[in-house]
Amino acid sequence: MKKRLVSSILCAAMLTASIVGCGSAAPEKTAQAPAQTVEEAETPKADAPAATDEGSDKLVVGFAQIGQESGWRDAETMSIQTYAAEHSDTVELKFADAQQKQENQIKAIKSFIEQDVDVIGLAPVVETGWDQVFAEAQDAGIPIILLDRTADVDESLYATFIGSDFIEEGKEAAKQMAELIGGKGKIVELEGTVGASAATDRKTGFDEEIAANYPDIEIVASQTGDFTRAQGKEVMESFLKSNPDIVGVYAHNDDMALGAIEAIKEAGLKPGEDIVTVSVDGVKGIFEAMVAGEANCTVECNPLLGPLFFETAAKLKNGESVEKWVKSVDGVFTSDIAADVIDSRAY
Ligand code: GYE
């Protein structure tokens, strides 16, 4: 079902080419140009991208991406940009990379509103603080699609959320952890970005499942590693110093688990054996670690949302109704099957 990724060279080139500035301003409109002479009016070049004017029937979408904190995020960006590149006759993408800052995402959304795009897409870095800018988009008649993370706003302020059930991911991770450690022992938890729905809910699901069904498992420490490999490693180092007897680590994403694996090795222990890992995402790096016997389980979270994102945006532009939550269907992968499936992984 999953499409293979296009060559990374192409994607790297596209990334460099299209990142930020929130897209250049659209060429001056012609239909309702103010009193200007023909010579003064800007003439769009033949190969210029389609303007965001009313005359264009292209679907113009602004997407405010979080940043480049993880392999998962890069895969999602690639999926969105690849779709836009492959459908450039009907779609125009304005892409902003907010470098993990909410203020940059808000600026990008305001810029998309000014440019009068058809639909705005947003992966909200944190859940709160969106009411005002969402209301501005609504006043301008521009629907908002929440992609991959939710926002804590009234449902009337956005059109739909496309993404996974993070509470379920957390619960599934807990079951896998319990199975791996025989239902008992001390474990640690590496949390994602503070205030991000993907972190809050993955923690809730995991912690609740452990508390409800596994009385002999103790979460002895839980701290944020901001969804990055570097911070996952750093936090794991300190966990290992103060908790030498832990038997497992649950990380809210694979990148942090990969960082933790490095820390475990540097501490002279065997990841995958002395300390087992369960994480979320299903990126290639964790499959490689599982094949090498250094990681144990990943709960999949599909980042290849580009096609669904644009299809949904097209529906909204046409005034069609869409579901309030379009849920991703994800799987679970353990180290015993990693070698068999690694080559078929699309990200
Ligand atoms: O799991 C993590 C990323 O929002 C679902 O964000 C996404 C999460 C993903 O940085 O790796």
Side-chain angles (χ1 to χ4, degrees), residues 28-30 33-44:
E28 280 298 302
K29 313 196 172 194
T30 47
Q36 269 178 320
T37 65
V38 177
E39 289 76 29
E40 281 171 326
E42 196 179 324
T43 319

Side-chain angles (χ1 to χ4, degrees), residues 66 69-73 76 123 147-149 164 166 169 193 197-198 202 226-227 252-255 280-281 283 301:
I66 292 173
E69 75 280 5
S70 64
W72 190 99
R73 183 73 42 209
E76 184 192 61
L147 200 69
D148 86 68
R149 287 188 194 173
S164 298
F166 304 128
E169 289 174 346
T193 301
S197 62
R202 283 175 186 163
D226 208 15
F227 279 131
H252 291 183
N253 79 345
D254 291 340
D255 280 68
V280 187
D281 276 356
V283 299
C301 179

